[in-house]
Amino acid sequence: AMKKWVVFLLGMIAGGVLTFVMMLVLAIGDNTSSNGMTLFDEPGDCLSTKTFEVIQVVDNNHALAHEVEWNAVLESYMSTGLLVLLTNDNGEYYYDNQVIEVPKGMCMRQIGIYKYQTRMEVDKTVPIVKLMSK
């Protein structure tokens, strides 16, 4: 009779731990959704007409990207330091290291701000931009 009681107790503990772990996983997953986005009522300034390179896809139609300039000596793109969140309301899908050229007469216009936490738990705030006419 003693063994059944121990098995029951261990089962309860394991169930509790598993439930807690699942809640933790779901809470972490929730932070990476559209939380942290603040959109302006009206589009703001043109931030860039340069090229952008996708660093990380956040979800189906958002991607963290940095502004890049072609370096002829190294024959590669170099970051200018400007990091943005690209939206894509046209339903296109982004992928890692994708290079996005800004067509003539267009610019990356700021439409909001995006707050997120890096893997190193550093809080970051970057502009949300959308490809629009100048």
Side-chain angles (χ1 to χ4, degrees), residues 28 31-32 35-36 56 58 64 114-126:
I28 291 166
N31 289 347
T32 56
N35 294 356
Q56 182 185 353
V58 180
L64 284 168
Y114 175 57
K115 292 183 177 182
Y116 69 100
Q117 207 174 46
T118 66
R119 286 206 185 96
M120 306 300 274
E121 295 186 3
V122 176
D123 290 322
K124 300 271 282 183
T125 303
V126 298

PDB file of all heavy atoms in Angstrom, residues 28 31-32 35-36 56 58 64 114-126:
ATOM      1  N   ILE A  28       7.067  32.655 -22.675  1.00  0.00           N
ATOM      2  CA  ILE A  28       8.201  33.118 -23.489  1.00  0.00           C
ATOM      3  C   ILE A  28       7.752  33.289 -24.939  1.00  0.00           C
ATOM      4  O   ILE A  28       8.036  34.280 -25.573  1.00  0.00           O
ATOM      5  CB  ILE A  28       9.399  32.134 -23.392  1.00  0.00           C
ATOM      6  CG1 ILE A  28       9.989  32.191 -21.985  1.00  0.00           C
ATOM      7  CG2 ILE A  28      10.454  32.456 -24.436  1.00  0.00           C
ATOM      8  CD1 ILE A  28      10.940  31.059 -21.670  1.00  0.00           C
ATOM      9  N   ASN A  31       5.848  36.571 -25.764  1.00  0.00           N
ATOM     10  CA  ASN A  31       6.602  37.828 -25.870  1.00  0.00           C
ATOM     11  C   ASN A  31       7.086  38.104 -27.291  1.00  0.00           C
ATOM     12  O   ASN A  31       7.344  39.237 -27.634  1.00  0.00           O
ATOM     13  CB  ASN A  31       7.830  37.794 -24.949  1.00  0.00           C
ATOM     14  CG  ASN A  31       7.432  37.879 -23.497  1.00  0.00           C
ATOM     15  OD1 ASN A  31       6.294  38.203 -23.188  1.00  0.00           O
ATOM     16  ND2 ASN A  31       8.354  37.572 -22.620  1.00  0.00           N
ATOM     17  N   THR A  32       7.240  37.054 -28.094  1.00  0.00           N
ATOM     18  CA  THR A  32       7.796  37.243 -29.426  1.00  0.00           C
ATOM     19  C   THR A  32       6.703  37.505 -30.464  1.00  0.00           C
ATOM     20  O   THR A  32       6.994  37.698 -31.619  1.00  0.00           O
ATOM     21  CB  THR A  32       8.610  36.012 -29.863  1.00  0.00           C
ATOM     22  OG1 THR A  32       7.761  34.873 -29.774  1.00  0.00           O
ATOM     23  CG2 THR A  32       9.824  35.817 -28.979  1.00  0.00           C
ATOM     24  N   ASN A  35       3.463  41.647 -29.587  1.00  0.00           N
ATOM     25  CA  ASN A  35       3.669  42.485 -28.398  1.00  0.00           C
ATOM     26  C   ASN A  35       4.896  43.357 -28.611  1.00  0.00           C
ATOM     27  O   ASN A  35       5.817  42.969 -29.290  1.00  0.00           O
ATOM     28  CB  ASN A  35       3.882  41.619 -27.152  1.00  0.00           C
ATOM     29  CG  ASN A  35       2.649  40.841 -26.794  1.00  0.00           C
ATOM     30  OD1 ASN A  35       1.615  40.986 -27.425  1.00  0.00           O
ATOM     31  ND2 ASN A  35       2.765  39.999 -25.798  1.00  0.00           N
ATOM     32  N   GLY A  36       4.882  44.515 -27.994  1.00  0.00           N
ATOM     33  CA  GLY A  36       6.044  45.385 -28.093  1.00  0.00           C
ATOM     34  C   GLY A  36       5.975  46.329 -29.277  1.00  0.00           C
ATOM     35  O   GLY A  36       6.849  47.152 -29.457  1.00  0.00           O
ATOM     36  N   GLN A  56      16.937  38.610 -38.768  1.00  0.00           N
ATOM     37  CA  GLN A  56      16.117  37.590 -38.126  1.00  0.00           C
ATOM     38  C   GLN A  56      14.661  37.831 -38.455  1.00  0.00           C
ATOM     39  O   GLN A  56      14.185  38.959 -38.388  1.00  0.00           O
ATOM     40  CB  GLN A  56      16.326  37.669 -36.607  1.00  0.00           C
ATOM     41  CG  GLN A  56      15.553  36.632 -35.828  1.00  0.00           C
ATOM     42  CD  GLN A  56      15.690  36.833 -34.320  1.00  0.00           C
ATOM     43  OE1 GLN A  56      16.460  37.663 -33.857  1.00  0.00           O
ATOM     44  NE2 GLN A  56      14.933  36.079 -33.559  1.00  0.00           N
ATOM     45  N   VAL A  58      10.976  37.686 -37.411  1.00  0.00           N
ATOM     46  CA  VAL A  58      10.294  37.679 -36.115  1.00  0.00           C
ATOM     47  C   VAL A  58       9.031  36.828 -36.197  1.00  0.00           C
ATOM     48  O   VAL A  58       8.760  36.021 -35.343  1.00  0.00           O
ATOM     49  CB  VAL A  58       9.984  39.109 -35.644  1.00  0.00           C
ATOM     50  CG1 VAL A  58       9.271  39.090 -34.310  1.00  0.00           C
ATOM     51  CG2 VAL A  58      11.269  39.919 -35.554  1.00  0.00           C
ATOM     52  N   LEU A  64      13.595  41.665 -38.417  1.00  0.00           N
ATOM     53  CA  LEU A  64      14.611  42.610 -37.974  1.00  0.00           C
ATOM     54  C   LEU A  64      15.653  42.691 -39.081  1.00  0.00           C
ATOM     55  O   LEU A  64      16.114  41.666 -39.578  1.00  0.00           O
ATOM     56  CB  LEU A  64      15.265  42.144 -36.671  1.00  0.00           C
ATOM     57  CG  LEU A  64      14.420  42.335 -35.417  1.00  0.00           C
ATOM     58  CD1 LEU A  64      15.037  41.590 -34.241  1.00  0.00           C
ATOM     59  CD2 LEU A  64      14.273  43.811 -35.086  1.00  0.00           C
ATOM     60  N   TYR A 114       9.269  49.371 -32.038  1.00  0.00           N
ATOM     61  CA  TYR A 114       9.193  47.982 -31.606  1.00  0.00           C
ATOM     62  C   TYR A 114      10.160  47.771 -30.454  1.00  0.00           C
ATOM     63  O   TYR A 114      11.341  48.068 -30.573  1.00  0.00           O
ATOM     64  CB  TYR A 114       9.559  47.068 -32.780  1.00  0.00           C
ATOM     65  CG  TYR A 114       9.632  45.593 -32.454  1.00  0.00           C
ATOM     66  CD1 TYR A 114       8.544  44.922 -31.915  1.00  0.00           C
ATOM     67  CD2 TYR A 114      10.789  44.869 -32.711  1.00  0.00           C
ATOM     68  CE1 TYR A 114       8.603  43.564 -31.635  1.00  0.00           C
ATOM     69  CE2 TYR A 114      10.861  43.505 -32.440  1.00  0.00           C
ATOM     70  CZ  TYR A 114       9.765  42.862 -31.901  1.00  0.00           C
ATOM     71  OH  TYR A 114       9.830  41.522 -31.625  1.00  0.00           O
ATOM     72  N   LYS A 115       9.617  47.306 -29.322  1.00  0.00           N
ATOM     73  CA  LYS A 115      10.448  47.019 -28.146  1.00  0.00           C
ATOM     74  C   LYS A 115      10.535  45.507 -27.999  1.00  0.00           C
ATOM     75  O   LYS A 115       9.529  44.821 -28.072  1.00  0.00           O
ATOM     76  CB  LYS A 115       9.818  47.605 -26.883  1.00  0.00           C
ATOM     77  CG  LYS A 115       9.833  49.112 -26.872  1.00  0.00           C
ATOM     78  CD  LYS A 115       9.266  49.660 -25.586  1.00  0.00           C
ATOM     79  CE  LYS A 115       9.378  51.162 -25.637  1.00  0.00           C
ATOM     80  NZ  LYS A 115       8.922  51.840 -24.459  1.00  0.00           N
ATOM     81  N   TYR A 116      11.756  45.026 -27.796  1.00  0.00           N
ATOM     82  CA  TYR A 116      11.943  43.595 -27.608  1.00  0.00           C
ATOM     83  C   TYR A 116      13.162  43.349 -26.736  1.00  0.00           C
ATOM     84  O   TYR A 116      13.912  44.273 -26.431  1.00  0.00           O
ATOM     85  CB  TYR A 116      12.097  42.878 -28.960  1.00  0.00           C
ATOM     86  CG  TYR A 116      13.378  43.197 -29.701  1.00  0.00           C
ATOM     87  CD1 TYR A 116      14.455  42.327 -29.664  1.00  0.00           C
ATOM     88  CD2 TYR A 116      13.517  44.375 -30.434  1.00  0.00           C
ATOM     89  CE1 TYR A 116      15.634  42.616 -30.344  1.00  0.00           C
ATOM     90  CE2 TYR A 116      14.681  44.669 -31.102  1.00  0.00           C
ATOM     91  CZ  TYR A 116      15.737  43.785 -31.056  1.00  0.00           C
ATOM     92  OH  TYR A 116      16.899  44.068 -31.723  1.00  0.00           O
ATOM     93  N   GLN A 117      13.342  42.098 -26.337  1.00  0.00           N
ATOM     94  CA  GLN A 117      14.495  41.724 -25.515  1.00  0.00           C
ATOM     95  C   GLN A 117      15.359  40.758 -26.309  1.00  0.00           C
ATOM     96  O   GLN A 117      14.853  39.806 -26.896  1.00  0.00           O
ATOM     97  CB  GLN A 117      14.014  41.074 -24.224  1.00  0.00           C
ATOM     98  CG  GLN A 117      14.986  41.228 -23.082  1.00  0.00           C
ATOM     99  CD  GLN A 117      14.412  40.707 -21.773  1.00  0.00           C
ATOM    100  OE1 GLN A 117      13.835  39.634 -21.729  1.00  0.00           O
ATOM    101  NE2 GLN A 117      14.583  41.474 -20.717  1.00  0.00           N
ATOM    102  N   THR A 118      16.659  41.027 -26.331  1.00  0.00           N
ATOM    103  CA  THR A 118      17.586  40.149 -27.045  1.00  0.00           C
ATOM    104  C   THR A 118      17.807  38.874 -26.240  1.00  0.00           C
ATOM    105  O   THR A 118      17.390  38.786 -25.085  1.00  0.00           O
ATOM    106  CB  THR A 118      18.958  40.837 -27.253  1.00  0.00           C
ATOM    107  OG1 THR A 118      19.556  41.027 -25.974  1.00  0.00           O
ATOM    108  CG2 THR A 118      18.823  42.156 -27.982  1.00  0.00           C
ATOM    109  N   ARG A 119      18.492  37.894 -26.857  1.00  0.00           N
ATOM    110  CA  ARG A 119      18.798  36.640 -26.143  1.00  0.00           C
ATOM    111  C   ARG A 119      19.660  36.905 -24.915  1.00  0.00           C
ATOM    112  O   ARG A 119      19.645  36.145 -23.969  1.00  0.00           O
ATOM    113  CB  ARG A 119      19.530  35.676 -27.077  1.00  0.00           C
ATOM    114  CG  ARG A 119      18.617  35.070 -28.104  1.00  0.00           C
ATOM    115  CD  ARG A 119      19.140  33.729 -28.574  1.00  0.00           C
ATOM    116  NE  ARG A 119      18.293  33.220 -29.644  1.00  0.00           N
ATOM    117  CZ  ARG A 119      18.546  33.373 -30.932  1.00  0.00           C
ATOM    118  NH1 ARG A 119      19.628  34.001 -31.316  1.00  0.00           N
ATOM    119  NH2 ARG A 119      17.725  32.887 -31.839  1.00  0.00           N
ATOM    120  N   MET A 120      20.416  38.009 -24.956  1.00  0.00           N
ATOM    121  CA  MET A 120      21.275  38.373 -23.823  1.00  0.00           C
ATOM    122  C   MET A 120      20.490  39.204 -22.802  1.00  0.00           C
ATOM    123  O   MET A 120      21.069  39.813 -21.913  1.00  0.00           O
ATOM    124  CB  MET A 120      22.493  39.173 -24.309  1.00  0.00           C
ATOM    125  CG  MET A 120      23.297  38.492 -25.405  1.00  0.00           C
ATOM    126  SD  MET A 120      23.973  36.901 -24.912  1.00  0.00           S
ATOM    127  CE  MET A 120      25.483  37.455 -24.145  1.00  0.00           C
ATOM    128  N   GLU A 121      19.166  39.250 -22.978  1.00  0.00           N
ATOM    129  CA  GLU A 121      18.250  39.979 -22.092  1.00  0.00           C
ATOM    130  C   GLU A 121      18.526  41.473 -22.038  1.00  0.00           C
ATOM    131  O   GLU A 121      18.427  42.105 -20.988  1.00  0.00           O
ATOM    132  CB  GLU A 121      18.242  39.357 -20.684  1.00  0.00           C
ATOM    133  CG  GLU A 121      17.677  37.942 -20.688  1.00  0.00           C
ATOM    134  CD  GLU A 121      17.513  37.351 -19.291  1.00  0.00           C
ATOM    135  OE1 GLU A 121      17.783  38.063 -18.310  1.00  0.00           O
ATOM    136  OE2 GLU A 121      17.111  36.187 -19.208  1.00  0.00           O
ATOM    137  N   VAL A 122      18.894  42.031 -23.189  1.00  0.00           N
ATOM    138  CA  VAL A 122      19.075  43.478 -23.304  1.00  0.00           C
ATOM    139  C   VAL A 122      17.808  44.036 -23.945  1.00  0.00           C
ATOM    140  O   VAL A 122      17.353  43.527 -24.965  1.00  0.00           O
ATOM    141  CB  VAL A 122      20.304  43.811 -24.188  1.00  0.00           C
ATOM    142  CG1 VAL A 122      20.434  45.312 -24.386  1.00  0.00           C
ATOM    143  CG2 VAL A 122      21.565  43.226 -23.586  1.00  0.00           C
ATOM    144  N   ASP A 123      17.210  45.061 -23.329  1.00  0.00           N
ATOM    145  CA  ASP A 123      16.020  45.682 -23.905  1.00  0.00           C
ATOM    146  C   ASP A 123      16.415  46.571 -25.063  1.00  0.00           C
ATOM    147  O   ASP A 123      17.331  47.378 -24.940  1.00  0.00           O
ATOM    148  CB  ASP A 123      15.277  46.509 -22.837  1.00  0.00           C
ATOM    149  CG  ASP A 123      14.626  45.613 -21.799  1.00  0.00           C
ATOM    150  OD1 ASP A 123      14.115  44.550 -22.176  1.00  0.00           O
ATOM    151  OD2 ASP A 123      14.636  45.982 -20.611  1.00  0.00           O
ATOM    152  N   LYS A 124      15.749  46.407 -26.199  1.00  0.00           N
ATOM    153  CA  LYS A 124      16.041  47.205 -27.392  1.00  0.00           C
ATOM    154  C   LYS A 124      14.741  47.851 -27.876  1.00  0.00           C
ATOM    155  O   LYS A 124      13.671  47.274 -27.740  1.00  0.00           O
ATOM    156  CB  LYS A 124      16.573  46.319 -28.522  1.00  0.00           C
ATOM    157  CG  LYS A 124      17.844  45.565 -28.204  1.00  0.00           C
ATOM    158  CD  LYS A 124      19.084  46.331 -28.524  1.00  0.00           C
ATOM    159  CE  LYS A 124      19.376  46.294 -30.010  1.00  0.00           C
ATOM    160  NZ  LYS A 124      20.625  46.987 -30.336  1.00  0.00           N
ATOM    161  N   THR A 125      14.861  49.037 -28.451  1.00  0.00           N
ATOM    162  CA  THR A 125      13.741  49.709 -29.101  1.00  0.00           C
ATOM    163  C   THR A 125      14.224  50.146 -30.470  1.00  0.00           C
ATOM    164  O   THR A 125      15.228  50.845 -30.574  1.00  0.00           O
ATOM    165  CB  THR A 125      13.267  50.929 -28.291  1.00  0.00           C
ATOM    166  OG1 THR A 125      12.916  50.493 -26.980  1.00  0.00           O
ATOM    167  CG2 THR A 125      12.050  51.571 -28.946  1.00  0.00           C
ATOM    168  N   VAL A 126      13.527  49.695 -31.520  1.00  0.00           N
ATOM    169  CA  VAL A 126      13.926  50.030 -32.887  1.00  0.00           C
ATOM    170  C   VAL A 126      12.717  50.566 -33.643  1.00  0.00           C
ATOM    171  O   VAL A 126      11.570  50.270 -33.292  1.00  0.00           O
ATOM    172  CB  VAL A 126      14.522  48.804 -33.639  1.00  0.00           C
ATOM    173  CG1 VAL A 126      15.781  48.302 -32.942  1.00  0.00           C
ATOM    174  CG2 VAL A 126      13.508  47.695 -33.789  1.00  0.00           C
TER     175      VAL A 126
END
